[in-house]
Amino acid sequence: MSDKNVYQRLAEVRKSISYLKKEKSGNQFQYVGSSDVLGALHSAINDAGLLLIPSITNHKLNERVELIGSEENQKERATYFTELEMNMRWQNIDDKNDFVDSAWYAQGVDIAGEKGVGKALTYGEKYFLLKFFNIATDKDDPDSFQRKQESIQPPKLIDGKQLAALKDEARKVAELAGAELSIIQNKLAEAAKVPSLDQLPVNLFSSAMAQLIKWKQSYEKNSQESKSAEQKQNDINWGNAQ
């Protein structure tokens, strides 16, 4: 790993995880916990030889006082809103001069007053990791998420070699059927429900080839039966029929 630069190492970490399920529950929503994010990435970051070094470059503390309780027993309560401007540095542990800096923002809300910075740091670190590595979060389990992604991605199409094999087999069918090659190709594309053979998904290649072989065998059988009938007629004409 020592020969890789910081960008290559970050790319390796990014490959390690693409999805996290929302396991934690709040008052009105579900969310991914900070420990879930760190736990999922910790080993990959270590294996890549990286350090994440957060630093606070600026901060702001806003205080809001509100009245709570009944009219007879009202009390003042202060809410502290902490805002942090941060720098998140990815450091290559094998080269002190190889690093990446990213400006980041975090916020934390606290009533007691002493936890605002800690909440902001935790919030900031979690969402920085999620967004930096483009990690999706959802209520679904990871397998369900993967199936969703596969369903919306365009299917992989057959390659040139597979297309040539289909056309070669279609040519044999066309010769047996006494038809134009384009007719057989269009008929096969229609059966596979694709605009043309070059748009055939790779997972349908085997079934398309099987269809061509079935057509070829059918035409070969018809041809043999036709020749047999013709030979029998010739035998009758020449008085050779048994």
Side-chain angles (χ1 to χ4, degrees):
M1 187 66 72
S2 60
D3 58 331
K4 293 185 177 181
N5 62 38
V6 67
Y7 293 103
Q8 293 169 323
R9 295 171 187 230
L10 288 169
E12 290 299 316
V13 176
R14 190 178 186 276
K15 292 176 185 177
S16 68
I17 185 169
S18 60
Y19 171 84
L20 284 174
K21 183 182 178 182
K22 292 181 177 179
E23 299 281 5
K24 303 291 190 299
S25 297
N27 292 332
Q28 298 178 340
F29 55 87
Q30 289 182 302
Y31 62 95
V32 176
S34 177
S35 59
D36 298 324
V37 178
L38 292 175
L41 290 169
H42 191 265
S43 294
I45 292 172
N46 286 341
D47 292 342
L50 291 168
L51 284 176
L52 177 59
I53 306 173
S55 59
I56 299 172
T57 58
N58 197 10
H59 72 280
K60 184 187 298 184
L61 178 63
N62 298 303
E63 180 181 354
R64 185 182 67 183
V65 178
E66 58 184 346
L67 296 175
I68 60 172
S70 62
E71 292 184 3
E72 296 80 13
N73 190 27
Q74 283 190 337
K75 296 181 180 180
E76 289 188 349
R77 184 177 69 181
T79 300
Y80 301 92
F81 181 66
T82 302
E83 296 179 274
L84 301 179
E85 293 179 16
M86 304 179 66
N87 181 68
M88 311 295 279
R89 171 170 292 188
W90 288 109
Q91 177 67 56
N92 179 350
I93 65 173
D94 296 309
D95 183 354
K96 66 178 182 180
N97 297 315
D98 187 23
F99 56 84
V100 175
D101 285 333
S102 297
W104 196 244
Y105 168 83
Q107 56 185 227
V109 178
D110 187 48
I111 296 175
E114 76 277 8
K115 297 179 181 179
V117 173
K119 288 183 176 181
L121 288 172
T122 300
Y123 173 94
E125 182 181 49
K126 179 181 76 171
Y127 280 98
F128 173 76
L129 292 171
L130 287 173
K131 300 308 176 184
F132 190 91
F133 292 114
N134 309 120
I135 300 173
T137 59
D138 205 343
K139 294 180 182 179
D140 295 329
D141 61 84
D143 289 338
S144 175
F145 173 80
Q146 184 63 31
R147 287 193 295 271
K148 282 184 179 180
Q149 294 305 302
E150 291 173 352
S151 68
I152 62 177
Q153 291 177 355
K156 183 179 179 181
L157 304 181
I158 58 173
D159 57 27
K161 185 177 180 180
Q162 291 171 314
L163 179 60
L166 288 175
K167 288 184 175 181
D168 184 59
E169 198 67 25
R171 188 174 295 106
K172 297 175 184 177
V173 175
E175 291 174 355
L176 288 168
E180 294 290 334
L181 174 60
S182 60
I183 294 176
I184 302 300
Q185 291 178 340
N186 291 339
K187 185 178 179 181
L188 182 62
E190 183 180 350
K193 298 181 180 180
V194 294
S196 59
L197 288 185
D198 59 356
Q199 296 298 307
L200 185 73
V202 69
N203 64 312
L204 295 182
F205 172 75
S206 296
S207 59
M209 182 60 75
Q211 182 64 66
L212 286 171
I213 293 174
K214 182 178 179 181
W215 287 343
K216 184 177 71 172
Q217 291 173 342
S218 177
Y219 282 119
E220 286 175 340
K221 181 179 179 181
N222 290 340
S223 177
Q224 290 173 355
E225 290 176 350
S226 178
K227 288 181 179 179
S228 177
E230 183 179 351
Q231 182 62 45
K232 183 177 291 187
Q233 183 63 45
N234 289 337
D235 289 343
I236 292 174
N237 292 339
W238 286 93
N240 295 327
Q242 299 297 322

